[in-house]
Amino acid sequence: MGKSKSVDGDAPALATSIIDTIRSSKNGKSMELKELRTAVSDDASDDKSSKKLFKQAVKLLEKGEKVTLNADGIVKLSKSERSKVSKSVADGEDEPKSEKKKKKKKEKKRKRESKEDGTESNDDVEENPKKQKQVNPEEREDSEEENTTTIDEESKNDNNNETAAGDSNNNGTADPKDKNKPCKGNPQGITRLFLGNLPFAISEPTLSAHLLDCVTHIKWITDKETGKFYGSAFCEVRNSKDAAKCLSKINGTNLMGRPIKINYAPVRSGEEGDWPPRSRVITGGKVANAGGGQAGGSGIKAMSVKPEGCAKLFLGNLSYDIDDEGITKFFMGVEAEIKSVRWLHHKDSGDFKGCGYADFWNTEACEKAATLNGKNLLGRPIRIDWAE
C-alpha cells in the first residue's frame, strides 16, 4: 500500500516531465508513447512500477486536457499547452511572471505620460513598426482580397479597352489594313465567303443572324435569264477573324433544315471595283445590283423574321384549284406533314381569296415547308411567310 501511495505522489512530477519532454521534441508538440516513456524514465528498466507511474501520469494529463493519446500510440500536446510554448518563447522562459507584470505596468505608465506631454519616446517609435507588422490573419486576408479585387477590376478595364478596340476595328473605323490581316485559320486575310446549300426561303436577316451578325454585304446568286435563286451566295464579313470563325464554327451547321457550306472566296483580279457592292444586299443575274432582302429571285416577297417556336405558315398567291389534298402533297415533298389547313374566303360572296394558313406538327416541319417559298404550285409561285 505504501508503495502505491509513493507512486501516486510521483505522478504529477512525472507529468510535468512529460510535458517538458514533448516540448523539447523535434516537432515540439507530439511523441510516440514508447519513445516518450523511455525519454522520461530515470532508467531503461521495464519494471511494472515505472510503467504504472508513467501510465498514471499520462492519464493525469489527459484528465487535465493537457495531452491526448490516440489509437496509434501518439501523445500530443493540447492547443492550450502548445500556445504556452510559443508565448514562453516570445516572452522569455527564464523571466518570472512578477517581473513581466512590473515591466508592463511601467511601459503603460510611460506611454500615458508621453501622450500627456505630447511627446513620444524613441522606444515607442521603434516598437510601433513591429506592432504594425504583426497583422491579424483575418485582416491580412481582407487586405489580400481588396488587392485581388483591385487587380481584377484593372484586368477587366484592360479587357474592356481591348474589346472596345476590337469593336472599333469591326465597325470599320480602324486602319483598313487590319481588316485583311492574316490570322489563325485565315492566313491570306480573306473577308469574302461563298455560301452554298442555302434554303430557298432564306432571307438576309435570317442569314446574318446565323453568321453571328458579322455580315456587311450579301449577293444572292441567281440565274441570269430567269432570276431563279440557286441556293448560294457571296457575302462580305467585317474582318479576317470573322471569316475564320465562320469556317471553323458555322460551316456545316443546320440552317432551316440544310447544312450550310462555307468556303473562302478571295476577290479575283478585276473585281476590286465591284466588291464589296455599293448596296448591302444585291441579287446576281439580270437584276444585279438591285437591292433585296430575299434570296428567292424576282417577284418573291421576303419572308419576315421567324418567331421563336413557330409552327404555322401563311400561304398566298394560291391557285383557285388548290384543295387540302393538293397542299398536303405539296409539302410532303419536303417531308413537312400538315396538321391542319384553313382557307380564307370573302365574307359576302364566300369566294376563295387564294390564301390560307397551314399548321404543322412542330417547328422543324414548319421550317422545311418554308423552303418551298416561291416554288411553283399549280402554275403559280406560292408565297409563304411565318405566322403567329
Side-chain angles (χ1 to χ4, degrees), residues 102-362:
K102 287 180 182 179
K103 277 191 174 183
K104 286 183 179 179
K105 287 181 179 179
K106 287 182 181 179
E107 287 177 4
K108 287 181 180 179
K109 185 178 179 181
R110 178 167 49 80
K111 289 178 181 179
R112 187 168 58 251
E113 290 175 352
S114 63
K115 284 182 180 179
E116 290 174 357
D117 296 338
T119 59
E120 190 174 4
S121 65
N122 292 333
D123 293 338
D124 292 334
V125 175
E126 292 176 357
E127 287 176 2
N128 286 338
K130 294 180 181 179
K131 290 180 180 179
Q132 291 174 358
K133 290 179 182 179
Q134 295 175 354
V135 182
N136 188 311
E138 294 180 359
E139 294 176 357
R140 186 183 297 112
E141 289 178 3
D142 293 340
S143 176
E144 289 175 355
E145 287 178 1
E146 290 176 2
N147 292 337
T148 303
T149 303
T150 304
I151 293 170
D152 290 341
E153 289 175 353
E154 291 176 355
S155 178
K156 287 179 181 178
N157 291 335
D158 292 340
N159 291 336
N160 290 337
N161 292 336
E162 290 177 4
T163 303
D167 291 341
S168 66
N169 290 342
N170 293 339
N171 293 330
T173 58
D175 191 336
K177 293 180 180 179
D178 293 337
K179 178 181 177 180
N180 299 96
K181 190 175 182 179
C183 63
K184 184 178 180 181
N186 190 358
Q188 292 180 303
I190 299 169
T191 55
R192 187 170 77 163
L193 301 175
F194 171 79
L195 312 176
N197 200 36
L198 297 173
F200 289 103
I202 191 67
S203 62
E204 183 268 330
T206 304
L207 181 62
S208 294
H210 193 72
L211 296 180
L212 306 177
D213 292 319
C214 67
V215 176
T216 61
H217 299 81
I218 297 175
K219 179 181 179 180
W220 306 116
I221 302 176
T222 58
D223 185 88
K224 291 183 179 180
E225 299 297 330
T226 64
K228 183 179 178 181
F229 179 50
Y230 282 147
S232 53
F234 287 106
C235 77
E236 180 76 9
V237 294
R238 292 175 301 196
N239 52 52
S240 56
K241 289 184 178 180
D242 285 333
K245 190 184 296 182
C246 287
L247 261 79
S248 62
K249 295 186 176 182
I250 304 173
N251 184 30
T253 58
N254 190 292
L255 175 60
M256 295 175 65
R258 289 191 175 193
I260 186 173
K261 295 180 180 179
I262 304 176
N263 286 309
Y264 290 122
V267 177
R268 292 174 293 184
S269 178
E271 292 182 332
E272 294 86 353
D274 297 327
W275 191 267
R278 288 169 294 176
S279 302
R280 175 178 169 81
V281 182
I282 65 171
T283 302
K286 63 181 181 180
V287 287
N289 289 322
Q294 174 72 26
S298 58
I300 303 301
K301 186 179 178 181
M303 292 182 68
S304 59
V305 179
K306 179 190 173 187
E308 186 177 355
C310 180
K312 186 177 182 178
L313 293 176
F314 169 79
L315 312 176
N317 197 38
L318 298 172
S319 168
Y320 290 96
D321 295 326
I322 192 67
D323 56 17
D324 291 6
E325 183 180 358
I327 198 69
T328 300
K329 287 182 177 179
F330 179 69
F331 285 121
M332 283 303 294
V334 290
E335 299 180 350
E337 186 178 355
I338 290 180
K339 182 180 179 181
S340 62
V341 62
R342 179 168 63 91
W343 307 116
L344 300 183
H345 298 80
H346 290 283
K347 289 183 179 180
D348 298 332
S349 64
D351 293 337
F352 178 48
K353 287 185 175 182
C355 57
Y357 291 93
D359 287 288
F360 296 84
W361 291 101
N362 51 53

Side-chain angles (χ1 to χ4, degrees), residues 42-61:
D42 293 335
D43 51 36
S45 61
D46 291 333
D47 59 280
K48 292 181 179 180
S49 60
S50 62
K51 286 182 179 180
K52 185 176 180 181
L53 179 61
F54 178 77
K55 191 174 182 180
Q56 287 177 348
V58 173
K59 284 184 177 181
L60 185 65
L61 291 171

